Amino acid sequence: MSSPCPFAIDPMVGDLNGETARLRALGPITRIDLLGVPAWTVTDHALARQLTTDTRLVKDINAWSLYADGVVTTQWPLIGMVLVDRSMFSVDGAEHRRLRLKTAQALAPRRLEELRPVIEQLTADLLDDLEAAGAGGAAVDLKEVFAYPLPMRVVGDLMGVAREDHAQLLDWYKKFFSVMTPQDERLEVMSGLDVYFTDLVRQKIADPADDLTSAFVTADEGGEPLTEEEAIGNIKALVAAGHETTVSLIINTVRALLAEPEQLAKVLAGDVEWKQVIEESLRWDGPVSHLLMRFATEDIVVGDTVIAKGEGVVMSYRAVGRDTAVHGETADEFDVTRSTANRHLAFGYGPHICPGAALSRLEAAIALPALFARFPQLRLAVPDSEIGNLPVLTQNDLAALPIILN
Ligand code: PLO
């Protein structure tokens, strides 16, 4: 591979804002080191749009030289982010459209309206739990008690995953994402998930119900049934993406507002819409720091850089959200009145753009106003500088958000 000494991404996520700034300073596309494995990463808005729509970049891991040559193996801690079943996350072109169609239909804004009362009820239940946990002015972790269970319940209901299995799934995903998990344990978690979702698919084939898993394995207006492997791959992608990211959207937004009381006041006074707040949060402190990965099927020339055939390309969406060419010189600041807020690429771009974007926006648009309506005195229980990230390299995952309710 070309230039030496790629910029090493800190697996412990000690200083996310500093890292984002340093990455951006290295230019629109730069070399990074992901736990010993080199790749390119894109930090520029225009270039991210260009490359996420470039058909010479594909998601199929077999196009990656380091994998094909046996340099990257299942011993690499991030292998689970790229070595995935055949699914809408790993396939391109016409096959990708086929694999995505049933999901796109189930997550279309009109269909999501049916979910609104369900999400409202789940939110109300969790606010009760929160009130109980924070009674008497006790500090309580908003992540653990409120934000963390909500998206899992929503995506679990959508996919037909039984409520009693959620704790097990959440525990597995925690271990899956953490770089601290020993690799043999991570591989065990991955096979646990595989067994679990294989069983789920077989059960829905035998006894279809009104959920998206059943839609995958039956013929409907979204087309013929997917194969068992495709259904399993899609479900794994949806459950992981559907719960992990929305948790961060909710708590990162709360954190940003609690750190900026004047901005919060504008929102609570109705001068700024929640919709706008959510977009600014996605831009400034979105759930995904680095999206792994696309692979070049031929040499791609980008300015004076050549992405060689077989090399991997990451999208550093956090850095992209701070692009001054799009958001101006104040791009590093959280500002709920920013006019360019909704021009972020936090959900990606191009054919693989997040199919769950509308669902996550709906969850946040229900959860956030309900939280502040119920607890108008909500405040941080620790200084903002003490809030840290989990050791998760790709995601922007707070360890906890300690708050006091009233
Ligand atoms: C999680 C493990 C699954 O077996 C495969 C999979 C598919 C979709 C990925 C997800 C994994 C990790 C989280 C990702 C999601 C798509 C969107 C989500 C990357 C690898 C984001 C953007 O965080």
Side-chain angles (χ1 to χ4, degrees), residues 170-179 181 185-186 189:
L170 288 173
D171 183 58
W172 274 335
Y173 281 117
K174 238 182 219 171
K175 293 184 174 134
F176 173 83
F177 282 108
S178 172
V179 300
T181 304
E185 204 180 325
R186 188 184 337 275
V189 163

Side-chain angles (χ1 to χ4, degrees), residues 80-81 84-85 89 173 176-177 236-237 240-241 244-245 288 291 395:
M81 301 297 293
V84 302
D85 305 69
F89 188 64
Y173 281 117
F176 173 83
F177 282 108
K236 284 182 180 171
E244 216 282 336
T245 48
V288 182
L291 191 287
Q395 319 294 114

